[in-house]
Amino acid sequence: MLANHPPPPARPMLSRFALLAGAGLLSAGAALAAQALPPLQTVQVSALPAPDRLSIDGTVQAIREATLAAQVAGTVTDVEIQAGDTVRAGQVLLRLDSQEAGQAQQAAQALIREADAELALAQAELRRRETLYAQRYISQAAYQQARARAETARAQAAARHAQAAAAQAHRGHFTIRAPHDGLIGRLDAHPGDMVMPGQPLATLFDPGALRIQAAVPQRHIGQLAPRARIEWPPGFPDLPATLPVQILPARDAASLTGTIRLALPPGMRGPAPGTPIRIGIDLDGTTRTRLWVPAGAIVRRGDLCGVYVLDANGMPRLRQVRPGPRDGDRIEVLTGLAAGEAIVPEPGRMSLEGRKP
């Protein structure tokens, strides 16, 4: 007798159908998502000829700079300026105690008056003797004595005047004045300080007369381009990007370097003297084809550097490269890339567009 068995359940068939439908939906969603993504922005690795560039550090210097030092010993009584003040030529900056010098000048003036009186008396006596000698009332010896006394008095008067001028000049050393227009860069004197001759008190420089000085290896002196590219610190947007190069004839035998100077245009203010400046100078005769990429395309992971390169399927792949010197907003790649390859210029935007770098 045959037994009636129930039909097999249809759940497995429904499960397979659900799985197939889910997979289809997922694939369709992925396709829609891929279509929704904006096209990836890429640039090509450019191959352009460029010379080697020498990168060195220079220092800003003031063309007109003065170190104001004491010429006499004394105590600082007045300080009429502060560091950073703008001063004019001849302006009084500091004063030292000049009481003793003033007394010496007064004594010199008194000696001048005495010498002038003696000279006037000797000249009057000489005129009287001249009249008597002409009338044969005195001898020639008496006349010559009067003439000699007048000459002596004249010489003494001249000496007294010179001593008074020296005393006045000595008193002027107790007043420190600005030798030229400029800016007070440093002030090392305060009221009550005891200073000695030669002791620096302040520094003064002209902020409108600046230059950059740097040392260059002697092997590159003959290859320097006539202009250098300057990397100014922040805060000086109006300064020129390049400056003419002046090569000094002297050489340093100890360091095997030469000196170059780059003068700013007259009247243009720049960084303060002593500020380090990065300088780039092209070397003549070293032009070759180089590979360039945007500076923002370089991805740094510790000591390693890489660039996202599009593969055959159009997907960005990180590739290790060795970067070279930077030139503005681009950077040279020494190894790891070929000319014409498509790279991602801004890898950080791939995450914003849904692509994980």
Side-chain angles (χ1 to χ4, degrees):
M1 185 173 181
L2 296 174
N4 293 326
H5 296 284
R11 182 175 299 178
M13 182 66 69
L14 294 175
S15 299
R16 288 194 295 272
F17 178 77
L19 289 175
L20 292 174
L25 291 174
L26 289 175
S27 60
L32 290 175
Q35 294 176 359
L37 289 176
L40 186 63
Q41 297 293 328
T42 61
V43 296
Q44 288 187 341
V45 179
S46 59
L48 299 174
D52 291 339
R53 176 168 293 175
L54 178 66
S55 295
I56 54 178
D57 290 320
T59 305
V60 178
Q61 293 182 341
I63 299 177
R64 288 207 305 168
E65 184 175 10
T67 299
L68 308 178
Q71 295 180 277
V72 293
T75 303
V76 178
T77 57
D78 296 314
V79 178
E80 301 186 9
I81 44 92
Q82 296 293 332
D85 288 352
T86 301
V87 299
R88 297 294 183 183
Q91 180 178 337
V92 176
L93 308 180
L94 303 101
R95 298 181 189 272
L96 306 181
D97 183 10
S98 60
Q99 182 177 1
E100 183 178 354
Q103 293 175 352
Q105 186 178 6
Q106 292 177 3
Q109 293 295 333
L111 292 175
I112 284 180
R113 291 191 294 269
E114 179 185 1
D116 289 344
E118 292 289 344
L119 176 59
L121 180 61
Q123 289 177 339
E125 179 65 19
L126 177 59
R127 288 192 296 270
R128 189 178 69 85
R129 292 291 182 94
E130 285 179 346
T131 302
L132 295 176
Y133 178 69
Q135 296 176 359
R136 304 296 181 179
Y137 288 112
I138 61 174
S139 63
Q140 183 179 4
Y143 167 70
Q144 290 178 347
Q145 287 179 353
R147 186 173 181 178
R149 283 194 297 268
E151 292 293 335
T152 301
R154 185 179 293 107
Q156 289 179 351
R160 297 304 185 188
H161 279 276
Q163 290 176 358
Q168 184 176 0
H170 179 71
R171 187 178 184 181
H173 295 161
F174 290 84
T175 301
I176 311 299
R177 299 178 181 272
H180 56 76
D181 296 349
L183 192 71
I184 300 297
R186 182 172 177 175
L187 180 63
D188 297 321
H190 305 87
D193 289 350
M194 180 64 186
V195 298
M196 301 301 293
Q199 179 178 340
L201 304 179
T203 57
L204 173 68
F205 69 92
D206 185 355
L210 300 175
R211 68 188 177 200
I212 302 173
Q213 182 165 307
V216 178
Q218 291 189 25
R219 64 180 182 275
H220 296 314
I221 288 292
Q223 298 178 292
L224 299 181
R227 298 187 70 87
R229 185 179 297 272
I230 312 299
E231 296 181 14
W232 299 108
F236 299 93
D238 298 332
L239 293 180
T242 63
L243 291 175
V245 178
Q246 177 191 7
I247 303 175
L248 301 187
R251 302 290 182 268
D252 188 346
S255 61
L256 298 179
T257 59
T259 301
I260 63 172
R261 288 177 177 172
L262 302 89
L264 274 71
M268 180 169 289
R269 294 199 173 196
T275 303
I277 301 294
R278 193 68 177 172
I279 304 171
I281 309 178
D282 292 341
L283 300 179
D284 295 337
T286 60
T287 301
R288 59 183 175 85
T289 301
R290 305 170 188 271
L291 301 181
W292 301 95
V293 299
I298 301 295
V299 179
R300 302 185 185 275
R301 299 287 188 268
D303 295 335
L304 301 179
C305 297
V307 173
Y308 279 95
V309 185
L310 267 62
D311 60 11
N313 298 323
M315 297 298 296
R317 303 295 181 186
L318 185 62
R319 185 188 301 175
Q320 183 179 352
V321 298
R322 183 161 68 94
R326 181 167 179 165
D327 183 16
D329 57 353
R330 66 178 185 174
I331 191 169
E332 181 185 0
V333 175
L334 303 179
T335 58
L337 292 178
E341 287 189 294
I343 64 171
V344 180
E346 299 181 2
R349 297 189 59 85
M350 290 195 299
S351 296
L352 301 178
E353 297 172 355
R355 300 179 177 89
K356 298 295 182 181

